[in-house]
């Protein structure tokens, strides 16, 4: 049987509702003869008589009545889907903009920012362009540097520490080899540190910073990572102390015109709580606490 499409069924619904071709023509924007031909074609496709035609108009045949009820059910379902869709996209958007490492942390902890019943949508972005804060609404930025100017509300958050990391089981010549972020993409002081301080020992580099933990993990050499990343990658250990010159605070920045919107206020408060609750992870002290935590002595048997 030839498949019937939704346009044909919608036209059938109009004819059935109007009770004839003249009324249907006014609603459908088609001529009465065209609609008549389309209804005859629909009957042929379905192999059923849908209308009883007379000088008084089009009356539904028994099969037409069954189809009419099914089409009405389909139309109601379509209306519910449309409403469901519009409800979702009527919600405001809150965007969290940060570097690749913070973006990954937020993605892992997204449930702490937005719950299933919250009346906003969440967008996690890897972006360090402050122009978006000026010209785009609903943006919360997490930056390494406080903006020098602009119509921004700014809040200082946790400190971020950095350290060199190597594979736990690294041995041989690779112990003194380094991995660098490519100079064409390196932006922050942390991304440029290896090139600036260990250039003769660089044997591996990448223009995709997200690959750096895996490269270190593989034993390709040492690399610099934020402590909240490096301390949580299995198989990585610190190689030396925290690099103090790289430590910096995180700044939570929002366009001042946005900060009083209910969804923005809620997301900001939750972001502040999330970062503060993980302060020891970001400043590197959680590693120190773990290394120096008391452990009971094993009893001699």
């Amino acid at each position: 049987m030839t498949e019937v499409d939704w346009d044909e069924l919608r036209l059938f619904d109009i004819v059935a509702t109007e009770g004839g071709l003249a009324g249907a023509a006014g609603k459908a924007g088609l001529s009465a003869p065209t609609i008549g031909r389309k209804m005859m074609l629909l009957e042929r496709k379905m192999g059923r008589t849908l209308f009883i035609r007379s000088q008084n108009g089009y009356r539904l045949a028994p099969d037409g009545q069954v189809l009419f009820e099914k089409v009405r059910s389909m139309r109601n379902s379509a209306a519910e889907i449309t409403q469901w869709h519009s409800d979702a996209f009527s919600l405001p958007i809150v965007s969290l903009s940060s570097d690749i490492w913070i973006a990954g942390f937020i993605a892992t902890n997204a449930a702490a920012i937005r719950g299933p019943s919250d009346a906003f949508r969440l967008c996690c972005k890897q972006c360090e362009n402050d122009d978006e804060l000026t010209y785009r609404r609903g943006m919360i930025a997490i930056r390494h540097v406080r903006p020098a100017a602009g119509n921004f509300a700014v809040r200082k958050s946790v400190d971020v520490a950095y350290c060199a990391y190597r594979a736990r089981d690294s041995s041989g010549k690779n112990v003194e080899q380094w991995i660098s972020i490519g100079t064409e993409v390196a932006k922050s002081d942390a991304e440029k540190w290896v090139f600036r301080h260990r250039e003769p020992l660089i044997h591996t580099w990448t223009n995709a910073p997200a690959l750096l933990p895996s490269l270190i993990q593989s034993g390709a050499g040492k690399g610099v990572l934020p402590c909240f990343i490096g301390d949580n990658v299995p198989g990585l250990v610190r190689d030396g102390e925290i690099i103090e010159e790289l430590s910096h605070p995180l700044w939570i920045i929002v366009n001042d015109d946005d900060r009083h919107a209910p969804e923005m206020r809620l997301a900001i408060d939750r972001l502040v709580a999330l970062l503060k609750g993980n302060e020891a992870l970001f400043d590197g002290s959680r590693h120190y606490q773990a290394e120096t935590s008391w452990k009971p002595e094993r009893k001699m048997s």
Side-chain angles (χ1 to χ4, degrees), residues 92-95 131-141 151-153 253-268:
I93 299 174
V94 174
S95 296
D131 286 345
E132 290 208 347
L133 279 169
T134 302
Y135 299 111
R136 180 171 292 186
R137 304 302 300 270
M139 179 78 72
I140 302 170
N151 183 35
F152 302 132
I253 309 162
V254 63
N255 190 302
D256 199 51
D257 296 331
D258 278 350
R259 67 189 178 104
H260 296 299
E263 68 279 2
M264 295 290 284
R265 184 74 264 158
L266 180 60
I268 291 169

Side-chain angles (χ1 to χ4, degrees), residues 92-288:
I93 299 174
V94 174
S95 296
L96 295 180
S97 167
S98 58
D99 68 18
I100 187 170
W101 307 120
I102 300 294
F105 175 80
I106 289 173
T108 302
N109 294 278
I113 305 295
R114 183 192 179 277
S117 61
D118 287 327
F120 66 89
R121 289 171 286 155
L122 181 64
C123 176
C124 298
K125 304 183 67 174
Q126 179 192 332
C127 179
E128 299 179 62
N129 181 5
D130 286 340
D131 286 345
E132 290 208 347
L133 279 169
T134 302
Y135 299 111
R136 180 171 292 186
R137 304 302 300 270
M139 179 78 72
I140 302 170
I142 305 147
R143 298 286 187 264
H144 296 190
V145 180
R146 181 182 183 132
N151 183 35
F152 302 132
V154 181
R155 182 166 182 170
K156 186 178 179 181
S157 185
V158 298
D159 289 326
V160 179
Y162 295 78
C163 197
Y165 289 86
R166 60 176 175 80
R168 185 183 301 277
D169 57 354
S170 57
S171 59
K173 292 189 294 185
N174 280 6
V175 171
E176 297 306 321
Q177 295 179 1
W178 285 79
I179 306 166
S180 177
I181 303 296
T183 55
E184 73 276 18
V185 298
K187 296 178 181 178
S188 68
D189 287 339
E191 290 174 338
K192 298 174 182 177
W193 191 89
V194 174
F195 182 79
R196 288 171 174 171
H197 297 275
R198 299 290 187 271
E199 183 181 5
L201 298 174
I202 295 172
H203 286 71
T204 305
W205 62 90
T206 177
N207 68 352
L211 298 180
L212 184 54
S214 296
L215 287 169
I216 301 171
Q217 203 175 28
S218 74
K222 295 184 285 193
V224 172
L225 291 170
C227 291
F228 73 92
I229 297 295
D231 289 345
N232 281 288
V233 177
L236 294 194
V237 293
R238 292 187 184 185
D239 189 85
E241 301 298 321
I242 287 173
I243 305 171
E244 296 293 346
E245 67 191 80
L246 296 180
S247 296
H248 62 78
L250 287 180
W251 300 90
I252 298 174
I253 309 162
V254 63
N255 190 302
D256 199 51
D257 296 331
D258 278 350
R259 67 189 178 104
H260 296 299
E263 68 279 2
M264 295 290 284
R265 184 74 264 158
L266 180 60
I268 291 169
D269 288 346
R270 288 176 177 173
L271 176 61
V272 168
L274 173 64
L275 295 175
K276 185 65 177 176
N278 288 276
E279 186 170 19
L281 178 65
F282 282 93
D283 67 18
S285 61
R286 194 179 81 172
H287 176 272
Y288 175 79

Side-chain angles (χ1 to χ4, degrees), residues 63-103:
D63 281 342
Q65 186 64 46
V66 172
L67 179 61
F68 181 67
E69 292 172 2
K70 292 182 180 298
V71 170
R72 278 296 169 92
S73 178
M74 291 172 63
R75 193 170 69 174
N76 290 339
S77 295
E80 290 174 2
I81 291 171
T82 300
Q83 183 63 46
W84 172 72
H85 176 74
S86 64
D87 285 347
F89 283 86
S90 66
L91 295 176
I93 299 174
V94 174
S95 296
L96 295 180
S97 167
S98 58
D99 68 18
I100 187 170
W101 307 120
I102 300 294

